[in-house]
Amino acid sequence: QVRLQESGPGLVKPSETLSLTCTVSGGSVSSSSYQWGWIRQPPGGGLEWIGNIYYSGNTYYNPSLKSRVTISVDTSKNQFSLKLSAVTGADTAVYFCARQIDGYIPVPFDYWGQGTLVSVSS
Amino acid sequence: EIVLTQSPGTLSLSPGERATLSCRASQSVTSSHLAWYQQKPGQAPRLLIYAASRRATGIPDRFSGSGSGTDFTLTISRLEPEDFAVYFCLQYGNSAWTFGQGTKVEIK
């Protein structure tokens, strides 16, 4: 059974860097079969894709966030991480991590973490 | 960036009725890389449909997806009580994925 679990601070100060980690069990982040992604949802709002990372470490990001986002993978811990710099109140959201199955017919975000609320406030 | 516009914003229906949700893209979605998700309050989204029309594992056959190019539809043939939720579409056909703003299906 695949499980993803987000972890990290629930409160970040404006202008600082938000850092979250997603721990994967029941699957390997180093498998060439998968990509791993981050998605966020402001309170009462819709979903926003943040970015994805391949097992190789290659990444692609939402153009509107690209200058502030870094996604990385730690195969030794079977985790992948999100860093979002220079945060403002607009970055307050529930942050989800999720898995995509790669292949001829990719399956996007079939497994999700339960989400973690990150508030930006001084 | 491909903008996805979902309609209607809210759909008020009774159990047993048919629900038809629309997702329109501002430009053609590559290879019909269009997915649908269901989200209930306090929960993560659940994948229903991918590649425009393929049901995800464990999804009941009352859920179906159709469409190509810029126009896509999610149909729930007969609403069950557990189907009242918010539905999002996602395009993943290029390197800048985007979600629609969502359609809420509420009990009439």
Side-chain angles (χ1 to χ4, degrees):
Chain A
Q1 175 74 359
V2 177
R3 298 194 65 156
L4 293 85
Q5 176 74 55
E6 304 90 350
S7 59
L11 182 64
V12 181
K13 290 182 168 55
S15 80
E16 295 190 344
T17 297
L18 178 160
S19 295
L20 295 174
T21 296
C22 183
T23 301
V24 179
S25 57
S28 173
V29 297
S30 58
S31 169
S32 61
S33 298
Y34 308 123
Q35 293 182 38
W36 307 92
W38 288 97
I39 305 97
R40 70 180 184 179
Q41 184 171 38
L47 298 168
E48 181 178 33
W49 173 72
I50 299 172
N52 281 17
I53 188 164
Y54 288 90
Y55 73 99
S56 60
N58 288 345
T59 54
Y60 51 113
Y61 301 133
N62 185 322
S64 68
L65 299 171
K66 186 175 183 179
S67 63
R68 299 193 292 130
V69 172
T70 302
I71 297 175
S72 59
V73 64
D74 186 339
T75 56
S76 67
K77 296 181 180 178
N78 215 35
Q79 297 174 334
F80 62 104
S81 298
L82 168 70
K83 291 187 185 301
L84 181 65
S85 63
V87 297
T88 70
D91 296 309
T92 293
V94 174
Y95 285 76
F96 296 99
C97 59
R99 182 188 84 166
Q100 155 154 319
I101 301 175
D102 259 351
Y104 179 70
I105 302 178
V107 183
F109 298 154
D110 62 334
Y111 281 96
W112 294 62
Q114 86 278 12
T116 187
L117 174 63
V118 179
S119 298
V120 178
S121 175
S122 54
Chain B
E1 171 183 307
I2 297 177
V3 176
L4 298 182
T5 302
Q6 292 187 240
S7 60
T10 302
L11 200 49
S12 298
L13 295 168
S14 300
E17 290 194 293
R18 181 184 187 91
T20 303
L21 287 67
S22 172
C23 178
R24 182 161 291 175
S26 59
Q27 54 189 281
S28 184
V29 176
T30 304
S31 302
S32 292
H33 282 178
L34 192 287
W36 290 93
Y37 294 83
Q38 176 193 70
Q39 188 179 33
K40 297 179 180 178
Q43 296 183 15
R46 177 174 72 142
L47 176 66
L48 301 174
I49 301 288
Y50 65 98
S53 61
R54 294 175 177 258
R55 265 190 302 276
T57 302
I59 301 304
D61 61 7
R62 65 180 181 273
F63 292 93
S64 63
S66 62
S68 64
T70 60
D71 288 306
F72 298 88
T73 300
L74 174 70
T75 302
I76 311 170
S77 59
R78 289 176 310 278
L79 283 164
E80 297 288 341
E82 61 268 28
D83 298 337
F84 292 92
V86 180
Y87 293 82
F88 294 95
C89 54
L90 164 72
Q91 73 79 21
Y92 53 102
N94 59 20
S95 60
W97 297 15
T98 49
F99 284 94
Q101 82 280 14
T103 290
K104 182 179 182 179
V105 178
E106 65 176 23
I107 299 176
K108 185 175 182 180

